[in-house]
Amino acid sequence: MAQIDWDSLGFDAYRTRTVVLAHYQDGAWSDIELSETFSFTIDPFTQGLHYAISCFEGLKAFRQRDGSIAIFRPDKNAARLARTAAFIGMPAPTESMFIKMCELCVQNNLEFLPPYGHQASLYLRPLLFAPHPQMQLVPYPEAIFAVMCAPAGSYYGAHLRSAAAVIPGDFDRAAPKGTGSYKLSANYAGTFVPYQIAHQQGYAELLYLNSATREFVDEFGSSNFFGIKGGNTYVTPLSDSVLPSITNLTLQECAADFGMMVEKRPVPLDELDEFEEAGGCGTAVVITPMSHIDIKPVLREPLVTRTFRYEPDGEVGPVCTRLYKRITGIQFGEIEDVHGWCYKL
Ligand code: PLP
Ligand code: COI
């Protein structure tokens, strides 16, 4: 096996040893299978490919300071997958099956679990898709559930380093009463080209507004939005088209533990001017503090009509830093897990 440089891991697909699989057919899940082939055989008519009847999850396993292994809040990911699956009429694994398959994935890829001390973890990617060949636009009770993993470090190339974001005036992420709050594969398809354009212009992130009125902040393409107000209030959007982030939920609980106020409510675009700190949060990105957020009416064109600036002295703000240390400290077993978020293997 190739030697892994644990300190320079990014966030990429990885050829580990084992993928954990189960197949739902004829009203029941198959036995769990461990596969080392890293390939699926699927029918060219599969619904998963043609109609994006496919969804996924993302969670992390950590080697903790005392040597033990913990998966962070897998019960929440199991519940979110079940909610997403129900939305597209797919059978979903039970919570215990979901967690068992995540555990098997870690145990059978242990050589890819980063050792303690490298700020890295094993990212678990559970995928649920419809393999049935079908042209009709109705659900069919068959599913493949696969849990794969990849050693992961920092999403943007460095930990807790600030990034720039752009609000694109000519792209939306999700319709009201549409798919935005579900972790559907299809939700990400529409972000690829705007991300490509944004990256070419030096923006790491896209910040999407609510598509009905474009007056409120929804979320980033990869993560939820949060802002810090008055040094003591954590504000995050309440919106039907935002993915319910488990990291965001965790940070809200951390903020409350610090004695901060937590406000989950619609966030008007203009309020971006009132935050001292703002950032994205999610499993992959953890916390990404934003240095500034630009508004561009047309993403491909140079015109910027407004800029919201954070970090005036060029340093990541104190609340982002404190929240980051808290959540990663709990994940790596350095801070007592008073809420019972770490599921120990
Ligand atoms: N929003 C989007 C669009 C995401 O893809 C993710 C990542 O999973 C999140 C938010 C953050 O969710 P979580 O903290 O559960 O990973
Ligand atoms: C995660 O954070 O787990 C995600 O799935 C985000 C990814 C799509 C960039």
Coordinates of all heavy atoms in Angstrom, one line a residue, residues 167 207 215 217 225-230 235 265 267-278 291-295 305-312:
I167 N -22.1 35.6 -4.5 CA -23.5 35.3 -4.7 C -23.8 35.5 -6.2 O -23.7 36.6 -6.7 CB -24.3 36.3 -3.8 CG1 -24.0 36.1 -2.3 CG2 -25.8 36.2 -4.1 CD1 -24.7 37.2 -1.4
L207 N -22.5 31.4 -2.7 CA -23.6 31.6 -1.7 C -24.9 31.8 -2.4 O -25.0 32.7 -3.2 CB -23.3 32.7 -0.7 CG -24.3 33.0 0.4 CD1 -24.5 31.8 1.3 CD2 -23.9 34.2 1.2
E215 N -34.2 37.5 -1.7 CA -34.0 38.5 -0.7 C -33.4 37.9 0.6 O -33.1 38.7 1.5 CB -35.4 39.1 -0.3 CG -35.9 40.0 -1.4 CD -37.4 40.4 -1.1 OE1 -38.0 39.9 -0.1 OE2 -37.9 41.2 -1.9
V217 N -30.8 34.8 2.5 CA -29.6 33.9 2.3 C -30.1 32.5 2.5 O -30.8 32.2 3.5 CB -28.5 34.3 3.4 CG1 -27.4 33.3 3.3 CG2 -28.0 35.7 3.2
F225 N -24.8 28.3 5.9 CA -24.3 29.6 6.2 C -24.5 29.9 7.7 O -25.6 29.5 8.3 CB -25.0 30.7 5.4 CG -24.7 32.1 5.8 CD1 -23.6 32.7 5.2 CD2 -25.4 32.7 6.8 CE1 -23.3 34.0 5.6 CE2 -25.0 34.0 7.2 CZ -24.0 34.6 6.6
F226 N -23.6 30.5 8.4 CA -23.8 31.1 9.7 C -23.1 32.5 9.8 O -22.1 32.7 9.1 CB -23.4 30.2 10.8 CG -21.9 30.0 10.9 CD1 -21.1 30.9 11.7 CD2 -21.2 29.1 10.2 CE1 -19.7 30.7 11.8 CE2 -19.8 28.9 10.3 CZ -19.1 29.8 11.1
G227 N -23.7 33.4 10.6 CA -23.1 34.6 10.8 C -23.0 34.9 12.3 O -23.8 34.4 13.1
I228 N -22.0 35.7 12.7 CA -21.9 36.0 14.2 C -22.2 37.5 14.3 O -21.6 38.4 13.6 CB -20.5 35.7 14.7 CG1 -20.1 34.2 14.4 CG2 -20.4 36.0 16.2 CD1 -21.0 33.2 15.1
K229 N -23.1 37.8 15.2 CA -23.5 39.2 15.4 C -23.2 39.6 16.9 O -23.5 38.9 17.8 CB -25.0 39.2 15.2 CG -25.5 40.5 14.5 CD -27.0 40.3 14.2 CE -27.5 41.6 13.5 NZ -28.8 41.4 13.0
G230 N -22.7 40.8 17.0 CA -22.4 41.3 18.4 C -21.5 40.4 19.2 O -21.5 40.5 20.4
V235 N -26.2 33.2 14.2 CA -27.4 33.4 13.3 C -27.3 32.4 12.1 O -26.2 32.4 11.5 CB -27.6 34.8 12.8 CG1 -28.8 35.0 12.0 CG2 -27.6 35.8 14.0
R265 N -33.5 31.7 11.8 CA -34.6 32.5 11.2 C -34.2 33.0 9.8 O -33.0 32.9 9.4 CB -34.9 33.7 12.1 CG -33.6 34.5 12.3 CD -33.9 35.9 12.9 NE -32.7 36.6 13.3 CZ -31.8 37.2 12.4 NH1 -32.0 37.2 11.1 NH2 -30.7 37.8 12.9
V267 N -32.7 35.0 7.0 CA -31.6 36.0 7.1 C -31.7 36.9 5.8 O -31.3 36.5 4.8 CB -30.2 35.3 7.2 CG1 -29.1 36.3 7.2 CG2 -30.1 34.5 8.5
P268 N -32.1 38.1 6.0 CA -32.2 39.0 4.8 C -30.8 39.3 4.3 O -29.8 39.4 5.1 CB -32.8 40.3 5.4 CG -33.4 40.0 6.7 CD -32.6 38.8 7.2
L269 N -30.7 39.4 3.0 CA -29.5 39.7 2.3 C -28.7 40.8 2.9 O -27.5 40.8 3.2 CB -29.7 39.9 0.8 CG -28.6 40.2 -0.1 CD1 -27.5 39.1 0.0 CD2 -29.0 40.4 -1.5
D270 N -29.4 41.9 3.2 CA -28.8 43.1 3.8 C -28.1 42.9 5.1 O -27.2 43.6 5.5 CB -29.8 44.2 4.0 CG -30.2 44.9 2.6 OD1 -29.4 44.8 1.7 OD2 -31.3 45.5 2.5
E271 N -28.6 41.8 5.8 CA -28.0 41.6 7.1 C -26.6 41.1 7.0 O -25.8 41.1 8.0 CB -28.9 40.6 7.9 CG -28.6 40.5 9.4 CD -29.5 39.6 10.2 OE1 -30.4 38.9 9.5 OE2 -29.3 39.5 11.4
L272 N -26.2 40.7 5.9 CA -24.8 40.3 5.7 C -23.8 41.4 6.1 O -22.7 41.1 6.4 CB -24.5 39.8 4.2 CG -25.1 38.5 3.8 CD1 -24.8 38.2 2.3 CD2 -24.7 37.3 4.7
D273 N -24.3 42.6 6.0 CA -23.5 43.8 6.5 C -23.3 43.9 8.0 O -22.5 44.6 8.5 CB -24.2 45.0 6.0 CG -23.4 45.8 4.9 OD1 -22.2 45.4 4.8 OD2 -24.0 46.7 4.3
E274 N -24.2 43.2 8.7 CA -24.2 43.3 10.1 C -23.5 42.3 10.9 O -23.4 42.4 12.1 CB -25.7 43.4 10.6 CG -26.5 44.5 10.1 CD -28.0 44.4 10.3 OE1 -28.3 43.8 11.3 OE2 -28.7 45.0 9.5
F275 N -23.0 41.3 10.2 CA -22.2 40.2 10.9 C -20.7 40.6 11.0 O -20.2 41.2 10.1 CB -22.3 38.9 10.2 CG -23.7 38.4 10.1 CD1 -24.3 38.1 8.8 CD2 -24.5 38.1 11.2 CE1 -25.6 37.6 8.7 CE2 -25.8 37.7 11.1 CZ -26.3 37.4 9.9
E276 N -20.1 40.3 12.1 CA -18.6 40.5 12.2 C -17.9 39.4 11.6 O -16.8 39.5 11.2 CB -18.1 40.7 13.7 CG -18.8 41.7 14.5 CD -19.9 41.1 15.3 OE1 -19.6 40.2 16.1 OE2 -21.0 41.6 15.2
E277 N -18.5 38.2 11.7 CA -17.9 37.0 11.2 C -19.0 36.2 10.4 O -20.2 36.3 10.8 CB -17.4 36.1 12.3 CG -16.3 36.7 13.1 CD -15.9 35.8 14.3 OE1 -15.6 34.6 14.0 OE2 -15.8 36.2 15.4
A278 N -18.6 35.6 9.4 CA -19.6 34.7 8.6 C -18.8 33.6 8.0 O -17.6 33.7 7.8 CB -20.2 35.6 7.5
S291 N -13.7 35.6 4.2 CA -13.1 36.9 4.3 C -14.0 38.0 3.8 O -14.1 39.1 4.3 CB -11.7 37.0 3.6 OG -11.9 36.6 2.2
H292 N -14.7 37.7 2.7 CA -15.6 38.6 2.1 C -16.6 37.8 1.2 O -16.3 36.7 0.7 CB -15.0 39.7 1.3 CG -14.1 39.3 0.1 ND1 -12.9 38.8 0.3 CD2 -14.4 39.3 -1.2 CE1 -12.4 38.5 -0.9 NE2 -13.3 38.7 -1.8
I293 N -17.7 38.4 0.9 CA -18.7 37.8 0.0 C -19.1 38.9 -1.0 O -19.5 40.0 -0.6 CB -20.0 37.4 0.8 CG1 -19.6 36.3 1.9 CG2 -21.0 36.8 -0.1 CD1 -20.7 35.9 2.8
D294 N -18.9 38.6 -2.3 CA -19.3 39.6 -3.3 C -20.6 39.2 -3.9 O -21.0 38.0 -4.0 CB -18.3 39.5 -4.5 CG -16.9 40.2 -4.2 OD1 -16.9 41.0 -3.2 OD2 -16.0 39.9 -4.9
I295 N -21.4 40.2 -4.4 CA -22.5 40.0 -5.2 C -22.2 40.3 -6.7 O -21.7 41.3 -7.0 CB -23.7 40.9 -4.8 CG1 -24.1 40.6 -3.4 CG2 -24.9 40.6 -5.7 CD1 -25.4 41.4 -2.9
T305 N -21.4 44.2 -7.6 CA -22.2 45.3 -7.2 C -22.2 45.6 -5.7 O -22.5 46.7 -5.3 CB -23.7 45.1 -7.6 OG1 -24.1 43.8 -7.2 CG2 -23.9 45.2 -9.1
R306 N -21.7 44.6 -5.0 CA -21.6 44.9 -3.5 C -20.7 43.9 -2.9 O -20.6 42.7 -3.4 CB -23.0 44.6 -3.0 CG -23.3 45.3 -1.6 CD -24.8 45.3 -1.3 NE -25.0 45.7 0.0 CZ -26.1 45.6 0.6 NH1 -27.2 45.2 0.0 NH2 -26.2 46.0 1.9
T307 N -20.0 44.3 -1.9 CA -19.1 43.4 -1.2 C -19.3 43.5 0.3 O -19.4 44.6 0.9 CB -17.6 43.8 -1.4 OG1 -17.4 43.7 -2.8 CG2 -16.6 42.9 -0.7
F308 N -19.5 42.4 1.0 CA -19.6 42.3 2.4 C -18.3 41.8 3.0 O -17.8 40.7 2.6 CB -20.7 41.3 2.8 CG -22.0 41.6 2.2 CD1 -22.4 41.0 1.1 CD2 -22.9 42.6 2.7 CE1 -23.7 41.3 0.5 CE2 -24.1 42.9 2.1 CZ -24.5 42.2 1.0
R309 N -17.7 42.6 3.9 CA -16.3 42.2 4.4 C -16.4 41.8 5.8 O -17.0 42.4 6.7 CB -15.4 43.5 4.3 CG -15.1 43.8 2.8 CD -14.0 44.9 2.7 NE -14.0 45.3 1.3 CZ -13.5 44.7 0.3 NH1 -12.9 43.5 0.5 NH2 -13.6 45.1 -0.9
Y310 N -15.5 40.7 6.1 CA -15.4 40.2 7.4 C -13.9 40.2 7.7 O -13.1 40.5 6.8 CB -16.0 38.8 7.6 CG -17.4 38.8 7.0 CD1 -17.7 38.4 5.8 CD2 -18.4 39.4 7.8 CE1 -19.0 38.4 5.2 CE2 -19.7 39.5 7.2 CZ -20.0 39.0 6.0 OH -21.3 39.1 5.5
E311 N -13.5 39.9 8.9 CA -12.0 39.9 9.2 C -11.2 41.1 8.7 O -10.3 41.0 7.9 CB -11.4 38.6 8.5 CG -12.2 37.4 8.8 CD -11.6 36.1 8.2 OE1 -10.5 36.2 7.5 OE2 -12.2 35.1 8.3
P312 N -11.6 42.3 9.3 CA -10.9 43.5 8.9 C -9.4 43.5 9.1 O -8.6 44.0 8.3 CB -11.5 44.6 9.7 CG -12.3 43.9 10.8 CD -12.6 42.5 10.3

